[in-house]
Amino acid sequence: MATLNPNIPSGPLDHKWEHHKFSSKLINPANKRKYKVIVVGAGLAGASASATLAELGYEVHNFVFHDSPRRAHSVAAQGGINAAKNYQNDGDSVHRLFYDTIKGGDFRARESNVHRLAEVSVDIIDQCAAQGVPFAREYGGLLDNRSFGGAQVSRTFYARGQTGQQLLLGAYSALNKMIGNGGVRSYTHSEMLDLVVVDGHAKGIIVRDLQTGAVTRHNADAVVLATGGYGNVYNLSTYARGSNVTASWRAHKRGACFANPCYTQIHPTCIPVSGDYQSKLTLMSESLRNDGRIWVPKRKEDCKKPPAEIAEADRDYYLERMYGAFGNLAPRDIASRAAKYMCDEGRGIGETGLGVYLDFSAAIQRLGEDKIRERYGNLFAMYHEITDESAYKTPMRIYPAVHYTMGGLWVDYNLMSNVPGLFVLGEANFSDHGANRLGASALMQGLADGYFVLPATIATYLAGVKPDKRPATDTPAFKQAEENVQGLTKGFLASKGKRTPGSFHKQLGKIMWDHCGMARTKAGLEQGIQLLGALREEYRAGVNVLGAATEWNQSLEQAGRIGDFIELGELMCRDALMREESCGGHFREEYQYTKEDKEVQDGLVNPGDVKRRDDEFAFVAAWEFAGEGKAPVLNKEPLVYEEVKMSTRSYK
Amino acid sequence: MKVKLKVWRQKNRDASGEFKTYQSPELNPSMSFLEMLDVMNEQLAAGGEEPIAFDHDCREGICGTCSLVIDGKPHGPHKGVATCQTYMRSFKEGDEIVVEPFRAHPFPLVKDLVVDRKAFDRIQHAGGFISVRTGAAPDANSIPVPKEAADLAMDAAQCIGCGACVAACKNASAMLFVSAKVSHLGLLPQGQPERYRRVKAMVDQMDAEGFGNCTVTGSCEAVCPKEISLDFIARMNRDYLVALLKGDAKKPSGGGAG
Ligand SMILES: Cc1cc2nc3c(=O)[nH]c(=O)nc-3n(C[C@H](O)[C@H](O)[C@H](O)COP(=O)(O)OP(=O)(O)OC[C@H]3O[C@@H](n4cnc5c(N)ncnc54)[C@H](O)[C@@H]3O)c2cc1C
Ligand code: FES
C-alpha cells in the first residue's frame, strides 16, 4: 500500500498557509542554483512555475510537446479567472470564495488546499495585471468583473473571450524573460515518455524529440508535472486534440497514485455533435449564461419546429423553474444533467434531439444588440463559423460535452505526489475541485500552484536533498526507463494491425461516453470494464503505425497516447464503480434524490439531484498501479473538514 | 461532396518535395477543413500510405498551431478565420484544392505541411515581457488603465502567433507579429519602463532570424486570422526610431547601498 500523508499544517484554517510558509525550510540563495528542477508543461501551471522557480535561482529545465510554450491548452480558456478581490463590493471575501469552491465541489475536496487557493487568488490578479495582461476595464480604468456559475457575486476577471490566451501570454512572457537570461532552458517539441525513479525518488525523465525522434535522458533533483487534464479519453471533448494523459499515466505506472479518476466535468454549453467525422466539440463560454436563457419546448411535438414558431408560453425555462436562486447560473454538473433529463424526456431540439436552446432575445431586447456584441461578439462569431447560424437572430443550440477532469495524480498539501520529489500542478493534480469544478477556477488554480504554492513548498523537499548529488543519466534506472520507451516504440512500429490509432480513439471515446459518462450504473460500468479490457488486447495486436521512429511521426505520437488512454479508461470505470454514491459530476443513477426524500420535500433539492453518502465515501480514492494485468490497489485519504460542515448541496 | 486535393509532400527538411494529388472520399459540408484532412488520412493509411503531416491543436482558432496555405492563401478563403475554423461548405463539389505549408526562410520545413516557427519564440525571449518578479506586484487596481488604452492593447494582444503574416509576405517580414507584441505591452502603463529597450531588442532579434523588410503591401493584415491592424507597424516604427535616438541606455554610476 502507498503511504498517503496529506501533510496538512496544524492550526486554524485561515492561518495554515501563512504558518506553513513561515515554518518551512529555506534554501540558501547560493545553494539554489545547485538544484536542477525539471518542469514538464508550460500551460498556466507549468509556465508560471518555471518562471518563478528560475527567478528564485533554481536551474530549471522546461519541456513541452508543443512547438512553443504559448500553445499549451490553457490558451483556449474563454470565460475568465476568479479572485476574491471584492472590487465590486458585493460581499465577496476569501472565505466566500473558499466556501463556494468547497460546496461547488460537493464536499469532496481537501479543505486546507481550497482555502489556500482562495487566499492566493488575490495575488494572482495583481501579478497578471503587472505583467500586462489586458483584462477588461471599466471607463474609470479599473478592472471589470462578471459572474460565473455557482456563485452569487461578481468575481470573475476576463479579457474579452480569450482570458486563457491572455493569462498564458503573461506567464509565457515571464518564462521568456527567464529563458532569455539563461535561468530556464526550454525544450520544445519534446515529449516526456517516462519518469525515472531512483531509490524511490523522482530523479529524471525520458524524452522523445518529436522532430528527430531522438530519445534522451534528463536528470534532476525534482520533477514537476504540469501536463494538463485527461478529458480526451472521451475522444470528443472541448480539449485541444493534443491534450493527453501520457505524462501522468507513465508516472502512475512508476508509483504515483491516481486520485479520483472518475471525477470528470461535462460542460453544459457546447455546440452539439453534427457527425461521426467530428474531431472536437467547441465550448460556448459559461459567461453566456449571464445573459442567455436556457429552454426546451414544453411539448415533444414542438421540438422539430423552428424556435421562432414556439410561443413564449410553450417554452420551458427549466433551470429557472428548477433552481430559482441560481437559475441559468446553476453549477455545471447540475445544468448538464438537467439538459440530459430534458433530452431523455424527448424534449431535446435539433436534428439529433440532443440539444437545448440558449436564447439571447430577451437580453438583446433589454440591452441592445451592440451591448451583446461587445460582450460576446467573438463567441457569436465562432458559433456562426461552425453552424452557419446567427445567434443574434435565432437561439444557439447547445449540449453538454466533456470539458475538464477534476481527478489527477494524488498530491499532498505541498503538491508533492506519494513519490518523493515528484510534484504535480494544475489540472494534472486532483486537489482543489472535489467532484465538480466551478467556472473560472481552473485558471486560478493553475496560476496559484505555479506562481505561489510550488515555489514555496518545493524547498521542504529540496532541503533534504544534498545539492549536486543527483544521479547521473548512465545509472541503471535511466537505462531501464529509456529501454522501456524504446520498447514501446518498437512494439507499435512492428505491429501488423490494420487500424489507425485514431479509429481506436473513436471506439474508446464511445465506450467511455456510454458507460462512464453523464449517468453511470453498476451494470454499465461493469460492462465498460469488459469492453475496455477487450479493446486493450485488440489495440496491441490491431494498431497500424506507419512511418519510422527517427522522424516526425504523428501516428506514433498518437499511438502511445491512445494506448495510455485505454488503460486510464479502465481505471476510471473501476473508480466510478467503487464509488457507490453520486457527487458533483459523478452521477450514479442508483444514488439520486426522489420525491420520497425529506430534502426534496423541504425544497432543498430536486428529484434527480445527486445524493452523496458521506458516511461511507467521504474520502479521496487514490489508486495505485499494481503491475500489468493486475487489479489496481485502492488507497483512501479520509476527508476531514475542520471548519466547513458537510451539508446537502442546495442551489434552489 | 467530393474534392480533389493537391498537397505538398516532403519527407523532411533536406528531402525534395512535390505535389501529390488525391481524390477525397465522400465529405460532409459541415466538416472542418482539418476534419477533411483527418478523413483523407484515414483513407491514405488504409492504403498503406503515410498520412499527410499537418499541425493543429485547439481547432478553435486560438492556439495558432494550424497553418496551411490553401489555394494560395494562408489560412484559406475567409478573412479573419484560421484554417481550423474553415469549413468544407466554403468549397464546391469537384473543386481542386491546393494545400501547401507556410513557406518562409525563417520557418524551416519539418515534414509535409509542418514548419518550425521557433524563431517567433526567440524574438520574444529577447524582450517580449514586462519584468516583474512574482509576488512583487502592487494591487491590480492601483494602476488604472484608461479603457481605450486597455482595449487597444487587447486588440494587439489577440495575435495568436501563427505566422500567417510571414507566409503571406513576399519578403517574409515578421513586422505585423512583432508590432502586435510590442504594441500590446507598449500601450499599457505597466510596459513603459522597458518600452524602448523592448522594441530595440525584439526588432534586432527579428532581423537576426532572417525575416525580411516591410514594404507595406498589407498582405499580412489581409490574412491575419485575428485581423491585427497594420497601424501597429507604424506605431512600432515610431518606437523603434525613438529607441535608436535614445541610444543604448547609460549604465548607472556604481555605488549603491553596499
Ligand atoms: C475550451 C476550454 C475553455 C476553458 N475555459 C476556462 C475558463 O474560462 N476559466 C477557467 O478557469 N478554466 C477554463 N478551462 C480550463 C482550463 O483552461 C484548464 O484546466 C487549464 O488551463 C489547464 O492548465 P494546465 O497548466 O494545468 O495544463 P495545460 O494548459 O493543458 O498545459 C499542459 C502542458 O503540458 C505539456 N505536456 C503535456 N504532456 C506532456 C508530455 N508528455 N511531455 C511534454 N509536455 C507535455 C503541454 O505541452 C502543455 O505545455 C477551459 C478549458 C477548455 C477546454
Ligand atoms: S488549431 Fe489552434 S488555431 Fe487552429
Tab-separated table of all heavy atoms in Angstrom, chain B residues 3-26:
chain	number	residue	atom	x	y	z
B	3	VAL	N	-13.910	16.324	-53.203
B	3	VAL	CA	-12.976	17.298	-53.786
B	3	VAL	C	-11.675	16.572	-54.141
B	3	VAL	O	-11.455	15.436	-53.725
B	3	VAL	CB	-12.650	18.457	-52.816
B	3	VAL	CG1	-13.882	19.266	-52.489
B	3	VAL	CG2	-11.996	17.931	-51.543
B	4	LYS	N	-10.841	17.279	-54.921
B	4	LYS	CA	-9.512	16.766	-55.210
B	4	LYS	C	-8.531	17.597	-54.404
B	4	LYS	O	-8.683	18.813	-54.298
B	4	LYS	CB	-9.236	16.970	-56.704
B	4	LYS	CG	-8.684	15.723	-57.363
B	4	LYS	CD	-8.292	16.021	-58.775
B	4	LYS	CE	-9.035	15.080	-59.720
B	4	LYS	NZ	-8.982	15.536	-61.094
B	5	LEU	N	-7.544	16.928	-53.823
B	5	LEU	CA	-6.558	17.668	-53.032
B	5	LEU	C	-5.207	17.576	-53.704
B	5	LEU	O	-4.735	16.474	-54.002
B	5	LEU	CB	-6.414	17.032	-51.656
B	5	LEU	CG	-7.444	17.316	-50.605
B	5	LEU	CD1	-7.009	16.652	-49.317
B	5	LEU	CD2	-7.619	18.810	-50.394
B	6	LYS	N	-4.584	18.738	-53.889
B	6	LYS	CA	-3.217	18.741	-54.400
B	6	LYS	C	-2.346	19.198	-53.240
B	6	LYS	O	-2.390	20.361	-52.839
B	6	LYS	CB	-3.145	19.721	-55.583
B	6	LYS	CG	-1.932	19.539	-56.445
B	6	LYS	CD	-2.052	20.414	-57.683
B	6	LYS	CE	-0.657	20.770	-58.162
B	6	LYS	NZ	-0.661	21.852	-59.120
B	7	VAL	N	-1.608	18.257	-52.666
B	7	VAL	CA	-0.948	18.511	-51.377
B	7	VAL	C	0.567	18.436	-51.501
B	7	VAL	O	1.100	17.547	-52.176
B	7	VAL	CB	-1.381	17.450	-50.331
B	7	VAL	CG1	-0.791	17.759	-48.967
B	7	VAL	CG2	-2.878	17.367	-50.251
B	8	TRP	N	1.254	19.331	-50.818
B	8	TRP	CA	2.715	19.295	-50.787
B	8	TRP	C	3.193	18.170	-49.870
B	8	TRP	O	2.818	18.109	-48.706
B	8	TRP	CB	3.267	20.631	-50.277
B	8	TRP	CG	4.769	20.700	-50.362
B	8	TRP	CD1	5.656	20.534	-49.342
B	8	TRP	CD2	5.545	20.925	-51.534
B	8	TRP	NE1	6.942	20.655	-49.812
B	8	TRP	CE2	6.903	20.890	-51.161
B	8	TRP	CE3	5.217	21.147	-52.889
B	8	TRP	CZ2	7.946	21.075	-52.072
B	8	TRP	CZ3	6.249	21.334	-53.789
B	8	TRP	CH2	7.595	21.297	-53.382
B	9	ARG	N	3.992	17.259	-50.418
B	9	ARG	CA	4.544	16.178	-49.599
B	9	ARG	C	6.057	16.278	-49.608
B	9	ARG	O	6.675	16.370	-50.665
B	9	ARG	CB	4.130	14.796	-50.136
B	9	ARG	CG	2.656	14.569	-50.368
B	9	ARG	CD	1.800	14.185	-49.198
B	9	ARG	NE	2.339	13.541	-48.034
B	9	ARG	CZ	1.857	12.433	-47.498
B	9	ARG	NH1	0.873	11.784	-48.066
B	9	ARG	NH2	2.356	11.941	-46.383
B	10	GLN	N	6.634	16.261	-48.434
B	10	GLN	CA	8.097	16.354	-48.328
B	10	GLN	C	8.516	15.628	-47.062
B	10	GLN	O	8.056	15.964	-45.971
B	10	GLN	CB	8.513	17.838	-48.280
B	10	GLN	CG	10.012	18.042	-48.217
B	10	GLN	CD	10.409	19.518	-48.354
B	10	GLN	OE1	9.630	20.348	-48.839
B	10	GLN	NE2	11.620	19.841	-47.935
B	11	LYS	N	9.384	14.655	-47.200
B	11	LYS	CA	9.702	13.746	-46.098
B	11	LYS	C	10.361	14.463	-44.924
B	11	LYS	O	10.045	14.207	-43.771
B	11	LYS	CB	10.596	12.621	-46.604
B	11	LYS	CG	10.701	11.473	-45.655
B	11	LYS	CD	10.586	10.127	-46.387
B	11	LYS	CE	10.617	8.963	-45.411
B	11	LYS	NZ	9.494	8.936	-44.475
B	12	ASN	N	11.276	15.349	-45.219
B	12	ASN	CA	11.917	16.122	-44.150
B	12	ASN	C	12.570	17.368	-44.751
B	12	ASN	O	12.502	17.598	-45.953
B	12	ASN	CB	12.930	15.268	-43.380
B	12	ASN	CG	13.976	14.664	-44.300
B	12	ASN	OD1	14.555	15.363	-45.141
B	12	ASN	ND2	14.207	13.372	-44.178
B	13	ARG	N	13.219	18.118	-43.868
B	13	ARG	CA	13.839	19.375	-44.235
B	13	ARG	C	14.747	19.242	-45.468
B	13	ARG	O	14.750	20.084	-46.346
B	13	ARG	CB	14.666	19.842	-43.028
B	13	ARG	CG	15.146	21.236	-43.079
B	13	ARG	CD	15.720	21.621	-41.718
B	13	ARG	NE	14.691	21.562	-40.664
B	13	ARG	CZ	14.856	22.088	-39.450
B	13	ARG	NH1	15.978	22.691	-39.124
B	13	ARG	NH2	13.886	22.019	-38.565
B	14	ASP	N	15.515	18.157	-45.506
B	14	ASP	CA	16.540	18.034	-46.546
B	14	ASP	C	16.045	17.353	-47.813
B	14	ASP	O	16.661	17.492	-48.865
B	14	ASP	CB	17.743	17.252	-45.994
B	14	ASP	CG	18.258	17.882	-44.713
B	14	ASP	OD1	18.336	19.134	-44.679
B	14	ASP	OD2	18.534	17.153	-43.733
B	15	ALA	N	14.959	16.614	-47.708
B	15	ALA	CA	14.460	15.915	-48.894
B	15	ALA	C	13.851	16.927	-49.866
B	15	ALA	O	13.542	18.050	-49.487
B	15	ALA	CB	13.403	14.901	-48.475
B	16	SER	N	13.689	16.505	-51.115
B	16	SER	CA	12.983	17.402	-52.032
B	16	SER	C	11.497	17.044	-51.954
B	16	SER	O	11.137	15.901	-51.688
B	16	SER	CB	13.520	17.246	-53.446
B	16	SER	OG	13.308	15.926	-53.864
B	17	GLY	N	10.659	18.043	-52.177
B	17	GLY	CA	9.225	17.806	-52.044
B	17	GLY	C	8.521	17.864	-53.383
B	17	GLY	O	9.108	18.240	-54.388
B	18	GLU	N	7.259	17.462	-53.377
B	18	GLU	CA	6.468	17.527	-54.615
B	18	GLU	C	4.985	17.574	-54.260
B	18	GLU	O	4.581	17.202	-53.157
B	18	GLU	CB	6.741	16.296	-55.474
B	18	GLU	CG	6.430	15.011	-54.712
B	18	GLU	CD	6.530	13.746	-55.557
B	18	GLU	OE1	6.604	13.870	-56.791
B	18	GLU	OE2	6.514	12.659	-54.972
B	19	PHE	N	4.185	18.034	-55.219
B	19	PHE	CA	2.744	17.974	-55.038
B	19	PHE	C	2.246	16.582	-55.372
B	19	PHE	O	2.712	15.971	-56.322
B	19	PHE	CB	2.053	18.977	-55.962
B	19	PHE	CG	2.066	20.375	-55.418
B	19	PHE	CD1	2.867	21.351	-56.003
B	19	PHE	CD2	1.279	20.720	-54.326
B	19	PHE	CE1	2.880	22.647	-55.504
B	19	PHE	CE2	1.286	22.019	-53.824
B	19	PHE	CZ	2.087	22.973	-54.413
B	20	LYS	N	1.286	16.118	-54.566
B	20	LYS	CA	0.617	14.862	-54.914
B	20	LYS	C	-0.879	15.135	-54.924
B	20	LYS	O	-1.380	15.907	-54.111
B	20	LYS	CB	0.926	13.794	-53.863
B	20	LYS	CG	2.261	13.125	-54.080
B	20	LYS	CD	2.253	11.789	-53.379
B	20	LYS	CE	3.332	10.888	-53.957
B	20	LYS	NZ	3.360	9.596	-53.263
B	21	THR	N	-1.567	14.481	-55.818
B	21	THR	CA	-2.998	14.725	-55.922
B	21	THR	C	-3.779	13.518	-55.413
B	21	THR	O	-3.450	12.375	-55.721
B	21	THR	CB	-3.380	15.029	-57.379
B	21	THR	OG1	-2.536	16.085	-57.831
B	21	THR	CG2	-4.827	15.469	-57.491
B	22	TYR	N	-4.773	13.805	-54.579
B	22	TYR	CA	-5.598	12.734	-54.012
B	22	TYR	C	-7.075	13.045	-54.244
B	22	TYR	O	-7.485	14.214	-54.184
B	22	TYR	CB	-5.384	12.619	-52.506
B	22	TYR	CG	-3.947	12.397	-52.091
B	22	TYR	CD1	-3.182	13.450	-51.594
B	22	TYR	CD2	-3.365	11.135	-52.189
B	22	TYR	CE1	-1.870	13.246	-51.202
B	22	TYR	CE2	-2.053	10.927	-51.804
B	22	TYR	CZ	-1.301	11.982	-51.302
B	22	TYR	OH	-0.003	11.780	-50.921
B	23	GLN	N	-7.826	12.007	-54.465
B	23	GLN	CA	-9.282	12.152	-54.563
B	23	GLN	C	-9.858	11.942	-53.162
B	23	GLN	O	-9.546	10.941	-52.508
B	23	GLN	CB	-9.811	11.090	-55.527
B	23	GLN	CG	-11.298	11.119	-55.738
B	23	GLN	CD	-11.768	12.400	-56.426
B	23	GLN	OE1	-11.223	12.787	-57.449
B	23	GLN	NE2	-12.753	13.075	-55.839
B	24	SER	N	-10.660	12.859	-52.688
B	24	SER	CA	-11.200	12.702	-51.328
B	24	SER	C	-12.302	11.656	-51.324
B	24	SER	O	-12.953	11.431	-52.338
B	24	SER	CB	-11.770	14.027	-50.830
B	24	SER	OG	-13.094	14.194	-51.307
B	25	PRO	N	-12.545	11.046	-50.160
B	25	PRO	CA	-13.765	10.243	-50.029
B	25	PRO	C	-14.966	11.181	-49.923
B	25	PRO	O	-14.814	12.399	-49.992
B	25	PRO	CB	-13.545	9.479	-48.730
B	25	PRO	CG	-12.533	10.256	-47.967
B	25	PRO	CD	-11.754	11.077	-48.948
B	26	GLU	N	-16.125	10.632	-49.718
B	26	GLU	CA	-17.338	11.440	-49.583
B	26	GLU	C	-17.207	12.332	-48.338
B	26	GLU	O	-16.853	11.858	-47.254
B	26	GLU	CB	-18.543	10.505	-49.456
B	26	GLU	CG	-19.895	11.189	-49.459
B	26	GLU	CD	-20.182	12.012	-50.717
B	26	GLU	OE1	-19.706	11.621	-51.810
B	26	GLU	OE2	-20.850	13.051	-50.604
